[in-house]
Amino acid sequence: MVSQMKALVLSGGAGTRLRPITHTSAKQLVPVANKPVLFYGLESIADAGITDVGMIVGDTAEEIENAVGDGSKFGLQVTYIPQEKPLGLAHAVLIARDWLGDDDFVMYLGDNFIVGGITGLVDEFRRHRPDAQILLTRVADPRAFGVAELDDSGQVIGLEEKPDNPKSDLALVGVYLFTPAIHKAVRAIKPSWRGELEITHAIQHLIDYGADVRSTVIHGYWKDTGNVVDMLEVNRSVLEGMERRIDGEVDDRSETIGRVVIEPGARIVNSRIVGPAVIGSGTVVSDSYVGPFTSIAENCRISDSELEFSIVLRDSSIDGVGRIESSLIGRHVEVTPAPSVPSAHRLVLGDHSKVQIHS
């Protein structure tokens, strides 16, 4: 018999690395390929056969709840668990104790993105049922992550949170699987120098007391979408897997090349769209070029402009600004040319000066 398993999804946090976008929006709801990052995680949880989800929410709780609802559109049953301040991942486990009960659970960071989902990981955990199982991936600069140290047999022997001198290049991915053994560990640890209850400290506590802590090193695609560069990379990755679909209107003077998705209600007028790219419903692209790895959300207006390797959120307009690339543009944004200003040189020159001016 398969044991009951829940999912604890962390959707709080301030999203400081994605400001100014996250001044007015939850970081987990910033879309890639016109779908919020959080939704990919919820779909992965449902695909793994988990239906009971506890959602940790903070200052952006209302926005998260409006987007996710009761979870039924994902095949899930969602319970919201408020966290007054983002006091660490282990703190999220601590405040979810009553809801989690004595069930095993997967903890999933809502702004993380894993190509291929977590079904294999969950199945492996259910087969062997260690006290904890962590997901690792090799990174170029592990100082920004929780880092794992493994022995020669691959057993986890140590964890550090954002170390100055990492003992390996294996970073913890934002997916963790636990039995109820983790509850004693999170109660035993103290806040770190950051003032947070670190999940790495709780897992280290398990290791120190002889618990069975296992790891899986993934070689596929993973991103923590906490900054603009990673958001654009995830967008690129998702768009590469899309199939061509033209449901909107494309006039005779326009051209669509490759994996292009034109959503219903979108209009392409005298423009060239080169995929992979997605144009949201109600958006009008006129007299413009939209290049690869670009997602334009619903109800936008793109005219007399070029756009490539970028994300444009809903209800924004770009008009007559030449070329834009590697950009993340928020909701209700207007991008227009600056007014032309007469050019002049104002000089104060001393005696015997020699000046060359390019007009």
Side-chain angles (χ1 to χ4, degrees):
M1 179 179 176
V2 176
S3 61
Q4 168 71 17
M5 196 164 185
K6 293 177 177 176
L8 187 64
V9 178
L10 275 60
S11 299
T16 53
R17 291 178 293 159
L18 269 176
R19 287 176 179 166
I21 299 292
T22 50
H23 276 307
T24 53
S25 174
K27 63 179 178 178
Q28 298 85 4
L29 296 181
V30 176
V32 292
N34 285 4
K35 182 163 67 176
V37 171
L38 175 61
F39 288 12
Y40 292 97
L42 294 176
E43 289 168 356
S44 293
I45 288 165
D47 289 344
I50 299 170
T51 57
D52 209 358
V53 174
M55 188 89 69
I56 301 290
V57 290
D59 291 343
T60 58
E62 184 178 357
E63 188 180 8
I64 296 286
E65 292 182 31
N66 287 339
V68 176
D70 62 2
S72 57
K73 63 185 175 184
F74 304 98
L76 303 171
Q77 182 177 338
V78 174
T79 299
Y80 293 97
I81 303 169
Q83 184 183 36
E84 290 185 9
K85 294 181 181 179
L87 296 175
L89 305 187
H91 180 259
V93 176
L94 197 64
I95 65 173
R97 178 69 179 93
D98 290 343
W99 179 82
L100 288 167
D102 292 324
D103 293 316
D104 297 347
F105 66 99
V106 56
M107 183 167 74
Y108 195 112
L109 274 59
D111 59 352
N112 275 226
F113 184 90
I114 301 173
V115 168
I118 60 170
T119 300
L121 182 71
V122 170
D123 290 345
E124 180 184 355
F125 178 81
R126 280 174 161 155
R127 280 194 303 272
H128 302 289
R129 203 166 177 266
D131 294 302
Q133 187 163 342
I134 59 177
L135 202 57
L136 305 173
T137 192
R138 298 192 185 278
V139 295
D141 185 4
R143 292 174 299 176
F145 302 93
V147 177
E149 182 183 5
L150 309 183
D151 64 15
D152 293 339
S153 66
Q155 189 72 24
V156 183
I157 58 174
L159 296 173
E160 296 177 286
E161 185 65 32
K162 297 180 173 62
D164 292 330
N165 299 296
K167 295 178 180 177
S168 81
D169 61 352
L170 291 169
L172 276 77
V173 173
V175 178
Y176 309 78
L177 297 107
F178 298 115
T179 66
I182 193 63
H183 296 303
K184 184 177 179 181
V186 299
R187 289 196 304 271
I189 62 173
K190 302 297 182 186
S192 68
W193 62 270
R194 301 193 301 167
E196 297 186 3
L197 291 175
E198 311 285 1
I199 199 66
T200 46
H201 293 177
I203 299 170
Q204 183 66 53
H205 184 273
L206 290 175
I207 295 169
D208 292 343
Y209 282 83
D212 184 7
V213 177
R214 303 188 185 185
S215 67
T216 301
V217 179
I218 62 169
H219 303 285
Y221 191 84
W222 163 78
K223 282 288 183 185
D224 167 6
T225 60
N227 60 56
V228 173
V229 172
D230 286 342
M231 286 293 302
L232 293 174
E233 273 298 302
V234 171
N235 190 61
R236 179 194 61 76
S237 177
V238 175
L239 290 176
E240 282 185 331
M242 289 193 326
E243 298 295 328
R244 180 180 170 89
R245 177 167 52 85
I246 308 295
D247 292 331
E249 299 178 26
V250 180
D251 74 359
D252 294 339
R253 296 173 296 161
S254 297
E255 183 181 23
T256 60
I257 300 170
R259 294 188 300 277
V260 173
V261 173
I262 310 294
E263 297 287 1
R267 292 172 49 222
I268 311 301
V269 179
N270 191 33
S271 296
R272 189 167 186 255
I273 316 294
V274 178
V278 57
I279 312 297
S281 61
T283 287
V284 178
V285 179
S286 59
D287 303 307
S288 295
Y289 164 78
V290 175
F293 312 123
T294 301
S295 297
I296 302 174
E298 65 271 21
N299 300 321
C300 292
R301 297 290 180 270
I302 313 296
S303 59
D304 193 24
S305 300
E306 297 185 3
L307 190 62
E308 189 167 293
F309 192 55
S310 294
I311 298 173
V312 181
L313 276 55
R314 60 179 171 81
D315 300 304
S316 291
S317 64
I318 300 172
D319 182 13
V321 294
R323 186 174 181 83
I324 294 174
E325 60 183 29
S326 304
S327 299
L328 175 57
I329 296 171
R331 300 168 177 81
H332 301 281
V333 171
E334 295 182 8
V335 184
T336 56
S340 57
V341 205
S343 59
H345 303 286
R346 185 178 180 183
L347 307 173
V348 178
L349 302 175
D351 297 346
H352 310 293
S353 297
K354 292 183 179 179
V355 178
Q356 292 181 328
I357 295 176
H358 291 283
S359 58

